[in-house]
Amino acid sequence: MSISLAKGQRISLEKEGGGSLDYIEIGVNWGAIEKRGLFGGKKHVAVDLDASVGMFDAQGNLVDTVWFRQLKSKCGSIHHSGDDRTGDTGGDDGQDNEVIKINLNQVPGDVTTLALVLNSFSQQNFGDIPFAGIRIHNGKAGTGSEFAKFDVANDPTFSGKVSMIMGSVYRHNSSWKFRSIGAAIAEKDLKTSLAAFSRDYAN
């Protein structure tokens, strides 16, 4: 059964029968903006969000970044499915817009934290985006293997913010844990968003 996470919650990435997960896929989805048309109808405005992963060491230094311009980490442990430029129209369709594939066993030993960040390519603010969320899959995304999910409700405090720190995967002793964050931030690009994560959310 999938775990529905609240903001700030931390969970261990473990198999049902015990033991740490070796491989996960984190699916990111979001909704297109709905607006009224000229004659009272509705139209959807495409939303181009970019999901990215920053790989940090124990000192908070950025080791590598996986994003739409670098779809594979230099070590080969993380792969990105590619850029989605529209978002879901008509509500959550149950499919992930972008997927981050992580082989946890292959993450280099000096990397202690993986930061999951969303940036609005066209600077559309999160106050207008109807929903955004992530699904953590034990194995391949879309196969019924959903381990946990974290939905970010539309929040008035998101208004004017064009970036969001969704969560982090981090080492805890010899295993991995996930922390749900869901913080809309003022930073406008990936570089400054990852700097904000290192400053405010790395621990």
Side-chain angles (χ1 to χ4, degrees):
M1 181 180 293
S2 179
I3 304 167
S4 292
L5 301 173
K7 279 189 180 184
Q9 190 170 349
R10 300 171 189 255
I11 58 169
S12 296
L13 298 177
E14 296 179 340
K15 302 174 184 175
E16 283 188 18
S20 298
L21 294 175
D22 302 322
Y23 177 85
I24 61 173
E25 294 193 0
I26 299 179
V28 185
N29 74 305
W30 61 88
I33 297 171
E34 187 177 279
K35 292 190 174 181
R36 291 188 177 277
L38 290 175
F39 303 103
K42 294 179 181 179
K43 65 176 183 177
H44 290 93
V45 179
V47 173
D48 184 2
L49 298 185
D50 297 320
S52 308
V53 177
M55 305 174 71
F56 290 89
D57 64 18
Q59 289 72 46
N61 300 311
L62 184 63
V63 175
D64 197 6
T65 306
V66 178
W67 59 315
F68 72 90
R69 288 181 179 162
Q70 182 184 308
L71 297 178
K72 180 180 178 181
S73 62
K74 294 170 185 174
C75 63
S77 65
I78 302 177
H79 293 251
H80 192 301
S81 65
D83 194 15
D84 181 296
R85 300 181 179 180
T86 58
D88 292 345
T89 59
D92 185 359
D93 62 5
Q95 301 296 313
D96 300 311
N97 299 104
E98 297 182 8
V99 179
I100 307 293
K101 306 174 183 181
I102 307 173
N103 190 324
L104 295 168
N105 285 342
Q106 292 182 6
V107 176
D110 63 329
V111 174
T112 59
T113 306
L114 309 174
L116 182 63
V117 173
L118 271 177
N119 296 102
S120 173
F121 184 82
S122 302
Q123 304 294 288
Q124 293 163 303
N125 82 76
F126 277 89
D128 294 331
I129 298 169
F131 64 88
I134 60 177
R135 302 178 179 98
I136 304 173
H137 304 272
N138 172 14
K140 188 175 170 124
T143 61
S145 62
E146 186 178 296
F147 176 80
K149 63 182 178 179
F150 176 44
D151 296 322
V152 180
N154 186 268
D155 188 318
T157 65
F158 294 170
S159 181
K161 308 290 177 54
V162 298
S163 299
M164 179 175 288
I165 298 171
M166 293 293 290
S168 64
V169 177
Y170 64 96
R171 292 186 191 271
H172 179 71
N173 297 325
S174 60
S175 61
W176 291 91
K177 300 186 85 170
F178 176 80
R179 176 190 178 192
S180 55
I181 297 174
I185 56 177
E187 282 70 19
K188 298 184 183 300
D189 57 32
L190 177 57
K191 181 179 180 180
T192 56
S193 296
L194 291 175
F197 173 86
S198 179
R199 182 186 67 238
D200 300 329
Y201 299 99
N203 297 319

Short mmCIF file of all heavy atoms in Angstrom, two decimals, residues 22-60:
data_model
loop_
_atom_site.label_atom_id
_atom_site.label_comp_id
_atom_site.label_asym_id
_atom_site.label_seq_id
_atom_site.Cartn_x
_atom_site.Cartn_y
_atom_site.Cartn_z
N ASP A 22 17.01 -1.09 -3.55
CA ASP A 22 18.21 -0.90 -4.37
C ASP A 22 17.97 0.08 -5.51
O ASP A 22 18.90 0.74 -5.97
CB ASP A 22 18.66 -2.25 -4.95
CG ASP A 22 18.95 -3.28 -3.88
OD1 ASP A 22 19.49 -2.89 -2.83
OD2 ASP A 22 18.63 -4.47 -4.10
N TYR A 23 16.72 0.14 -5.97
CA TYR A 23 16.40 0.92 -7.16
C TYR A 23 15.02 1.55 -6.99
O TYR A 23 14.07 0.88 -6.61
CB TYR A 23 16.41 0.01 -8.40
CG TYR A 23 16.03 0.70 -9.69
CD1 TYR A 23 16.97 1.38 -10.44
CD2 TYR A 23 14.72 0.65 -10.16
CE1 TYR A 23 16.63 2.00 -11.63
CE2 TYR A 23 14.36 1.28 -11.34
CZ TYR A 23 15.32 1.95 -12.08
OH TYR A 23 14.98 2.58 -13.25
N ILE A 24 14.93 2.84 -7.27
CA ILE A 24 13.64 3.53 -7.22
C ILE A 24 13.49 4.41 -8.45
O ILE A 24 14.47 4.77 -9.10
CB ILE A 24 13.48 4.40 -5.95
CG1 ILE A 24 14.56 5.49 -5.89
CG2 ILE A 24 13.49 3.54 -4.69
CD1 ILE A 24 14.36 6.49 -4.77
N GLU A 25 12.23 4.71 -8.76
CA GLU A 25 11.94 5.71 -9.78
C GLU A 25 11.01 6.74 -9.15
O GLU A 25 10.00 6.37 -8.52
CB GLU A 25 11.31 5.07 -11.02
CG GLU A 25 12.28 4.14 -11.74
CD GLU A 25 11.81 3.73 -13.13
OE1 GLU A 25 10.71 4.17 -13.53
OE2 GLU A 25 12.56 2.98 -13.79
N ILE A 26 11.36 8.01 -9.28
CA ILE A 26 10.56 9.09 -8.72
C ILE A 26 9.86 9.80 -9.88
O ILE A 26 10.51 10.44 -10.71
CB ILE A 26 11.42 10.08 -7.92
CG1 ILE A 26 12.09 9.36 -6.75
CG2 ILE A 26 10.56 11.25 -7.42
CD1 ILE A 26 12.99 10.25 -5.91
N GLY A 27 8.56 9.62 -9.94
CA GLY A 27 7.76 10.26 -10.98
C GLY A 27 7.22 11.60 -10.50
O GLY A 27 6.73 11.71 -9.37
N VAL A 28 7.33 12.60 -11.34
CA VAL A 28 6.85 13.95 -11.01
C VAL A 28 5.69 14.29 -11.94
O VAL A 28 5.77 14.04 -13.14
CB VAL A 28 7.98 14.99 -11.18
CG1 VAL A 28 7.52 16.36 -10.72
CG2 VAL A 28 9.24 14.56 -10.43
N ASN A 29 4.61 14.81 -11.37
CA ASN A 29 3.49 15.22 -12.22
C ASN A 29 2.94 16.56 -11.75
O ASN A 29 3.12 16.96 -10.60
CB ASN A 29 2.39 14.17 -12.24
CG ASN A 29 1.59 14.12 -10.96
OD1 ASN A 29 2.16 13.95 -9.88
ND2 ASN A 29 0.29 14.26 -11.05
N TRP A 30 2.30 17.27 -12.66
CA TRP A 30 1.72 18.57 -12.33
C TRP A 30 0.59 18.88 -13.31
O TRP A 30 0.48 18.26 -14.36
CB TRP A 30 2.78 19.67 -12.37
CG TRP A 30 3.42 19.85 -13.71
CD1 TRP A 30 3.00 20.65 -14.75
CD2 TRP A 30 4.63 19.22 -14.19
NE1 TRP A 30 3.84 20.56 -15.82
CE2 TRP A 30 4.85 19.69 -15.50
CE3 TRP A 30 5.53 18.31 -13.63
CZ2 TRP A 30 5.95 19.27 -16.26
CZ3 TRP A 30 6.61 17.89 -14.38
CH2 TRP A 30 6.82 18.37 -15.67
N GLY A 31 -0.22 19.85 -12.95
CA GLY A 31 -1.37 20.20 -13.78
C GLY A 31 -1.14 21.43 -14.62
O GLY A 31 -0.44 22.36 -14.22
N ALA A 32 -1.75 21.43 -15.80
CA ALA A 32 -1.77 22.63 -16.63
C ALA A 32 -2.69 23.67 -15.97
O ALA A 32 -3.60 23.33 -15.22
CB ALA A 32 -2.26 22.30 -18.03
N ILE A 33 -2.44 24.93 -16.25
CA ILE A 33 -3.25 26.01 -15.67
C ILE A 33 -4.56 26.13 -16.44
O ILE A 33 -4.58 26.16 -17.67
CB ILE A 33 -2.48 27.34 -15.72
CG1 ILE A 33 -1.22 27.25 -14.85
CG2 ILE A 33 -3.36 28.50 -15.27
CD1 ILE A 33 -0.29 28.43 -15.01
N GLU A 34 -5.66 26.16 -15.70
CA GLU A 34 -6.97 26.29 -16.33
C GLU A 34 -7.43 27.75 -16.28
O GLU A 34 -7.44 28.37 -15.23
CB GLU A 34 -7.97 25.39 -15.60
CG GLU A 34 -9.33 25.31 -16.27
CD GLU A 34 -10.26 24.35 -15.57
OE1 GLU A 34 -10.15 23.13 -15.81
OE2 GLU A 34 -11.08 24.83 -14.76
N LYS A 35 -7.86 28.26 -17.43
CA LYS A 35 -8.35 29.63 -17.51
C LYS A 35 -9.66 29.68 -18.27
O LYS A 35 -9.97 28.78 -19.06
CB LYS A 35 -7.31 30.54 -18.20
CG LYS A 35 -6.05 30.75 -17.39
CD LYS A 35 -5.18 31.82 -18.00
CE LYS A 35 -3.98 32.12 -17.11
NZ LYS A 35 -3.12 33.19 -17.68
N ARG A 36 -10.44 30.73 -18.02
CA ARG A 36 -11.71 30.89 -18.73
C ARG A 36 -11.45 31.42 -20.13
O ARG A 36 -10.64 32.32 -20.33
CB ARG A 36 -12.62 31.87 -17.98
CG ARG A 36 -13.14 31.32 -16.66
CD ARG A 36 -14.19 32.26 -16.07
NE ARG A 36 -14.74 31.70 -14.84
CZ ARG A 36 -15.72 30.81 -14.79
NH1 ARG A 36 -16.25 30.37 -15.93
NH2 ARG A 36 -16.18 30.36 -13.64
N GLY A 37 -12.19 30.85 -21.09
CA GLY A 37 -12.08 31.32 -22.46
C GLY A 37 -12.92 32.55 -22.70
O GLY A 37 -13.63 33.04 -21.80
N LEU A 38 -12.92 33.06 -23.93
CA LEU A 38 -13.64 34.28 -24.27
C LEU A 38 -15.14 34.14 -24.10
O LEU A 38 -15.83 35.08 -23.74
CB LEU A 38 -13.31 34.68 -25.71
CG LEU A 38 -11.88 35.18 -25.97
CD1 LEU A 38 -11.68 35.41 -27.46
CD2 LEU A 38 -11.62 36.45 -25.18
N PHE A 39 -15.69 32.97 -24.34
CA PHE A 39 -17.13 32.78 -24.31
C PHE A 39 -17.57 31.92 -23.14
O PHE A 39 -18.57 31.20 -23.21
CB PHE A 39 -17.59 32.17 -25.64
CG PHE A 39 -17.20 32.99 -26.83
CD1 PHE A 39 -16.14 32.60 -27.63
CD2 PHE A 39 -17.87 34.17 -27.14
CE1 PHE A 39 -15.77 33.37 -28.72
CE2 PHE A 39 -17.51 34.93 -28.23
CZ PHE A 39 -16.45 34.55 -29.04
N GLY A 40 -16.84 31.98 -22.05
CA GLY A 40 -17.22 31.27 -20.84
C GLY A 40 -16.71 29.85 -20.74
O GLY A 40 -16.91 29.18 -19.73
N GLY A 41 -16.08 29.37 -21.80
CA GLY A 41 -15.53 28.03 -21.76
C GLY A 41 -14.21 28.00 -20.99
O GLY A 41 -13.78 29.00 -20.40
N LYS A 42 -13.58 26.85 -21.00
CA LYS A 42 -12.31 26.70 -20.29
C LYS A 42 -11.20 26.35 -21.28
O LYS A 42 -11.43 25.65 -22.26
CB LYS A 42 -12.40 25.60 -19.23
CG LYS A 42 -13.36 25.93 -18.10
CD LYS A 42 -13.43 24.79 -17.10
CE LYS A 42 -14.42 25.10 -15.98
NZ LYS A 42 -14.52 23.97 -15.01
N LYS A 43 -10.03 26.86 -21.01
CA LYS A 43 -8.87 26.47 -21.81
C LYS A 43 -7.71 26.17 -20.86
O LYS A 43 -7.68 26.64 -19.72
CB LYS A 43 -8.49 27.58 -22.79
CG LYS A 43 -8.01 28.87 -22.12
CD LYS A 43 -7.57 29.88 -23.18
CE LYS A 43 -7.01 31.14 -22.52
NZ LYS A 43 -6.52 32.11 -23.52
N HIS A 44 -6.81 25.34 -21.33
CA HIS A 44 -5.67 24.96 -20.52
C HIS A 44 -4.39 25.58 -21.08
O HIS A 44 -4.15 25.54 -22.29
CB HIS A 44 -5.52 23.43 -20.47
CG HIS A 44 -6.60 22.77 -19.67
ND1 HIS A 44 -7.75 22.28 -20.25
CD2 HIS A 44 -6.70 22.52 -18.34
CE1 HIS A 44 -8.52 21.76 -19.31
NE2 HIS A 44 -7.91 21.89 -18.14
N VAL A 45 -3.63 26.16 -20.19
CA VAL A 45 -2.35 26.76 -20.56
C VAL A 45 -1.24 25.80 -20.16
O VAL A 45 -1.16 25.37 -19.00
CB VAL A 45 -2.15 28.12 -19.85
CG1 VAL A 45 -0.79 28.72 -20.21
CG2 VAL A 45 -3.28 29.07 -20.20
N ALA A 46 -0.41 25.41 -21.12
CA ALA A 46 0.66 24.45 -20.86
C ALA A 46 1.60 24.99 -19.79
O ALA A 46 1.87 26.20 -19.71
CB ALA A 46 1.44 24.17 -22.14
N VAL A 47 2.08 24.09 -18.93
CA VAL A 47 3.01 24.45 -17.88
C VAL A 47 4.28 23.60 -18.06
O VAL A 47 4.23 22.37 -18.00
CB VAL A 47 2.42 24.19 -16.48
CG1 VAL A 47 3.46 24.41 -15.39
CG2 VAL A 47 1.21 25.10 -16.25
N ASP A 48 5.39 24.26 -18.28
CA ASP A 48 6.66 23.58 -18.50
C ASP A 48 7.49 23.64 -17.21
O ASP A 48 8.20 24.61 -16.97
CB ASP A 48 7.42 24.23 -19.66
CG ASP A 48 8.72 23.50 -19.99
OD1 ASP A 48 9.01 22.48 -19.34
OD2 ASP A 48 9.44 23.96 -20.89
N LEU A 49 7.33 22.60 -16.38
CA LEU A 49 8.17 22.49 -15.19
C LEU A 49 9.33 21.54 -15.48
O LEU A 49 9.19 20.60 -16.26
CB LEU A 49 7.37 21.96 -13.99
CG LEU A 49 6.20 22.81 -13.50
CD1 LEU A 49 5.60 22.20 -12.24
CD2 LEU A 49 6.63 24.25 -13.24
N ASP A 50 10.45 21.79 -14.85
CA ASP A 50 11.63 20.96 -15.05
C ASP A 50 12.02 20.32 -13.72
O ASP A 50 12.38 21.02 -12.77
CB ASP A 50 12.79 21.81 -15.58
CG ASP A 50 12.48 22.40 -16.95
OD1 ASP A 50 11.88 21.69 -17.77
OD2 ASP A 50 12.83 23.57 -17.18
N ALA A 51 11.95 18.99 -13.67
CA ALA A 51 12.39 18.26 -12.49
C ALA A 51 13.89 17.99 -12.61
O ALA A 51 14.37 17.56 -13.67
CB ALA A 51 11.62 16.94 -12.38
N SER A 52 14.62 18.23 -11.55
CA SER A 52 16.06 18.05 -11.56
C SER A 52 16.51 17.43 -10.24
O SER A 52 15.81 17.52 -9.23
CB SER A 52 16.78 19.39 -11.76
OG SER A 52 16.27 20.08 -12.88
N VAL A 53 17.69 16.84 -10.26
CA VAL A 53 18.29 16.27 -9.06
C VAL A 53 19.68 16.84 -8.86
O VAL A 53 20.51 16.79 -9.78
CB VAL A 53 18.39 14.73 -9.14
CG1 VAL A 53 19.08 14.17 -7.90
CG2 VAL A 53 17.01 14.11 -9.28
N GLY A 54 19.92 17.39 -7.68
CA GLY A 54 21.26 17.84 -7.31
C GLY A 54 21.88 16.81 -6.39
O GLY A 54 21.25 16.36 -5.43
N MET A 55 23.11 16.41 -6.66
CA MET A 55 23.82 15.43 -5.85
C MET A 55 24.82 16.16 -4.95
O MET A 55 25.72 16.83 -5.45
CB MET A 55 24.53 14.42 -6.76
CG MET A 55 23.61 13.75 -7.76
SD MET A 55 24.46 12.67 -8.97
CE MET A 55 24.94 11.29 -7.91
N PHE A 56 24.66 16.01 -3.64
CA PHE A 56 25.48 16.76 -2.68
C PHE A 56 26.31 15.83 -1.81
O PHE A 56 25.88 14.71 -1.49
CB PHE A 56 24.58 17.60 -1.76
CG PHE A 56 23.91 18.76 -2.44
CD1 PHE A 56 22.67 18.60 -3.06
CD2 PHE A 56 24.51 20.00 -2.48
CE1 PHE A 56 22.04 19.65 -3.68
CE2 PHE A 56 23.89 21.08 -3.10
CZ PHE A 56 22.65 20.90 -3.70
N ASP A 57 27.50 16.32 -1.41
CA ASP A 57 28.31 15.56 -0.45
C ASP A 57 27.96 16.00 0.97
O ASP A 57 27.09 16.86 1.18
CB ASP A 57 29.81 15.71 -0.74
CG ASP A 57 30.33 17.14 -0.56
OD1 ASP A 57 29.67 17.97 0.10
OD2 ASP A 57 31.44 17.42 -1.07
N ALA A 58 28.64 15.42 1.96
CA ALA A 58 28.32 15.67 3.36
C ALA A 58 28.56 17.11 3.78
O ALA A 58 28.00 17.58 4.77
CB ALA A 58 29.12 14.72 4.25
N GLN A 59 29.40 17.81 3.04
CA GLN A 59 29.69 19.23 3.36
C GLN A 59 28.74 20.19 2.65
O GLN A 59 28.88 21.41 2.77
CB GLN A 59 31.14 19.57 2.99
CG GLN A 59 32.19 18.94 3.89
CD GLN A 59 32.34 17.45 3.69
OE1 GLN A 59 32.41 16.98 2.54
NE2 GLN A 59 32.37 16.68 4.76
N GLY A 60 27.78 19.64 1.92
CA GLY A 60 26.83 20.49 1.21
C GLY A 60 27.33 20.99 -0.13
O GLY A 60 26.72 21.89 -0.73
#
